[in-house]
Amino acid sequence: MAVGGHGMRNLLLAVVLVLAGIIAGLILAENQAPGPALSAAQGVEEPPVAEAVALPAVVQNLEPKPEPASAIRASSDPALALVALRGKLLAEVDADIDGGRYALASRNLARMVVAVTRLDVGAAVPVSQLEPIQLRIRRLNQAWLLAPDGDWAAASEKVRDGDALERIVRRFRKDHGLRVTVEMLRLFNGLRGDLIYPGQTLRVPTGEIRIEIWKASFTMVLWIGEAVAGLYPVGLGNDLGPTPEGDFSIINRSEYPVWFRRGAPPGQAQVPPYDPVLNPDNPLGTRWIGFAPADGREGLGIHGTNDDAAIGHKISQGCIRMLNRDVEEAYPLVPRGSTCTIY
């Protein structure tokens, strides 16, 4: 968009005011942008200019080290904190992952996730704000959190003669008090199938697995202990069937779930599992993670979708919708009995 002479003078004046501390208008415009600017010459992120910015208290508690006064200044808007620190923290996370400082990278990612999920701007957080964080979470998962040789806090079991993964899952539950799935055993130990051998050591993390849904920002976070294992955009319930708030327990899970239409004529209530070509009408998508009844309603849960455009909007009858690729990624890490907190 071309800028006239008068507009350019105003813009330059605004920049001067930013540097002088009078920045309200410029910061608001920066906060509403989809992300930090890209240098046309270099193609890299330029950290946005921001003044009077502070992290929420919960984010400050996750800081790995004190920030210089120039990095965080006084403000009550967490959205501005996210904009101000986004480029800086992404660069730090990249450097920490490359340098093998995985725990530090995890803490910085947690800071960013706490900030972005608590945004309340009256609409879903733009995917452009989530994708750079998601990319780093997946990098860290591959290098550390989901790596068989990762130095995360773990419980272990030796494979015995005649063992199968299901039997080992039961031992983890009985002897260690951990909620474990067969998928978790495969994922955390680099197993391609169910083949195991006597004497082999299998590990799972001891950190509590929990889900947070933040309705104001249309986001979901999957935690393992204090580490972020996933950050996802979601869709929510509409005004007639709002997504409930509170603490819920995961009670069932299924792959390629069947959907039952309420009030449908006999013989038409059951909709086969979702297939983009053969059965595109099943709104549950490829995975179902159900939680305990809420507000007298049953059949609520987290699931995939047959309409990607539903993500970031209030369209469902109370359930949380995810992109199919996202719910497939999260599904192996969410055993029955896990806590789901909706804010």
Side-chain angles (χ1 to χ4, degrees), residues 152-160 163 165-181 184-185 200-209:
W152 30 269
S156 61
E157 280 285 336
K158 289 279 189 181
V159 177
R160 304 170 187 174
D163 258 345
L165 293 181
E166 283 286 1
R167 183 178 297 177
I168 298 172
V169 163
R170 290 194 293 270
R171 287 210 300 273
F172 272 115
R173 292 173 180 169
K174 179 181 178 181
D175 298 341
H176 302 276
L178 297 174
R179 299 183 180 97
V180 179
T181 66
M184 287 173 62
L185 284 183
Q200 183 179 5
T201 298
L202 300 182
R203 303 193 308 156
V204 294
T206 56
E208 178 190 6
I209 295 174

Side-chain angles (χ1 to χ4, degrees), residues 240-301:
L240 296 179
T243 299
E245 298 180 3
D247 294 324
F248 306 94
S249 179
I250 302 302
I251 58 174
N252 52 48
R253 311 159 67 248
S254 63
E255 299 183 15
Y256 297 97
V258 172
W259 179 49
F260 293 90
R261 290 192 182 100
R262 294 178 181 175
Q268 299 180 26
Q270 182 172 315
V271 179
Y274 171 77
D275 182 280
V277 177
L278 300 178
N279 298 304
D281 295 332
N282 188 327
L284 302 183
T286 60
R287 299 290 187 273
W288 168 264
I289 304 171
F291 50 77
D295 301 335
R297 290 182 289 168
E298 296 183 354
L300 295 180

Side-chain angles (χ1 to χ4, degrees), residues 6-342:
H6 182 69
M8 181 61 71
R9 287 194 297 272
N10 288 341
L11 180 60
L12 292 175
L13 178 59
V15 172
V16 172
L17 293 177
V18 168
L19 297 177
I22 308 174
I23 57 146
L26 181 58
I27 285 186
L28 178 59
E30 186 71 32
N31 177 48
Q32 293 175 341
L38 291 179
S39 167
Q42 300 177 359
V44 298
E45 285 188 353
E46 296 177 350
V49 177
E51 186 81 11
V53 175
L55 286 173
V58 67
V59 182
Q60 294 173 354
N61 292 338
L62 291 170
E63 289 182 1
K65 57 181 181 293
E67 292 287 345
S70 59
I72 305 174
R73 300 186 176 99
S75 171
S76 60
D77 192 342
L80 304 186
L82 175 66
V83 170
L85 293 177
R86 179 174 178 270
K88 176 179 181 293
L89 287 179
L90 288 176
E92 287 188 7
V93 167
D94 285 337
D96 289 335
I97 294 175
D98 292 339
R101 298 180 295 274
Y102 300 133
L104 187 56
S106 178
R107 295 181 68 181
N108 268 333
L109 280 172
R111 296 177 64 205
M112 298 194 73
V113 166
V114 167
V116 73
T117 55
R118 285 153 178 75
L119 292 178
D120 187 356
V121 294
V125 173
V127 173
S128 61
Q129 292 283 3
L130 299 181
E131 285 179 337
I133 307 174
Q134 291 175 304
L135 175 63
R136 273 69 177 193
I137 292 172
R138 290 178 175 125
R139 279 194 66 201
L140 186 60
N141 285 349
Q142 183 177 16
W144 177 61
L145 189 57
L146 303 183
D149 58 351
D151 62 348
W152 30 269
S156 61
E157 280 285 336
K158 289 279 189 181
V159 177
R160 304 170 187 174
D161 288 338
D163 258 345
L165 293 181
E166 283 286 1
R167 183 178 297 177
I168 298 172
V169 163
R170 290 194 293 270
R171 287 210 300 273
F172 272 115
R173 292 173 180 169
K174 179 181 178 181
D175 298 341
H176 302 276
L178 297 174
R179 299 183 180 97
V180 179
T181 66
V182 167
E183 299 99 329
M184 287 173 62
L185 284 183
R186 295 193 190 106
L187 192 60
F188 285 106
N189 294 280
L191 303 178
R192 296 183 178 274
D194 295 342
L195 182 63
I196 51 179
Y197 55 87
Q200 183 179 5
T201 298
L202 300 182
R203 303 193 308 156
V204 294
T206 56
E208 178 190 6
I209 295 174
R210 66 190 190 281
I211 293 171
E212 293 178 352
I213 308 289
W214 293 87
K215 293 170 61 175
S217 58
F218 290 81
T219 54
M220 169 178 147
V221 188
L222 176 59
W223 296 89
I224 301 179
E226 300 304 315
V228 180
L231 170 67
Y232 309 104
V234 299
L236 300 171
N238 57 35
D239 292 338
L240 296 179
T243 299
E245 298 180 3
D247 294 324
F248 306 94
S249 179
I250 302 302
I251 58 174
N252 52 48
R253 311 159 67 248
S254 63
E255 299 183 15
Y256 297 97
V258 172
W259 179 49
F260 293 90
R261 290 192 182 100
R262 294 178 181 175
Q268 299 180 26
Q270 182 172 315
V271 179
Y274 171 77
D275 182 280
V277 177
L278 300 178
N279 298 304
D281 295 332
N282 188 327
L284 302 183
T286 60
R287 299 290 187 273
W288 168 264
I289 304 171
F291 50 77
D295 301 335
R297 290 182 289 168
E298 296 183 354
L300 295 180
I302 303 164
H303 60 79
T305 186
N306 63 343
D307 180 11
D308 290 355
I311 307 305
H313 299 281
K314 296 179 178 180
I315 292 179
S316 77
Q317 298 179 27
C319 289
I320 294 96
R321 293 192 182 191
M322 301 176 67
L323 295 173
N324 287 321
R325 66 171 181 266
D326 289 345
V327 73
E328 289 170 14
E329 179 179 275
Y331 182 86
L333 295 172
V334 185
R336 285 190 297 272
S338 300
T339 299
C340 174
T341 302
I342 305 175

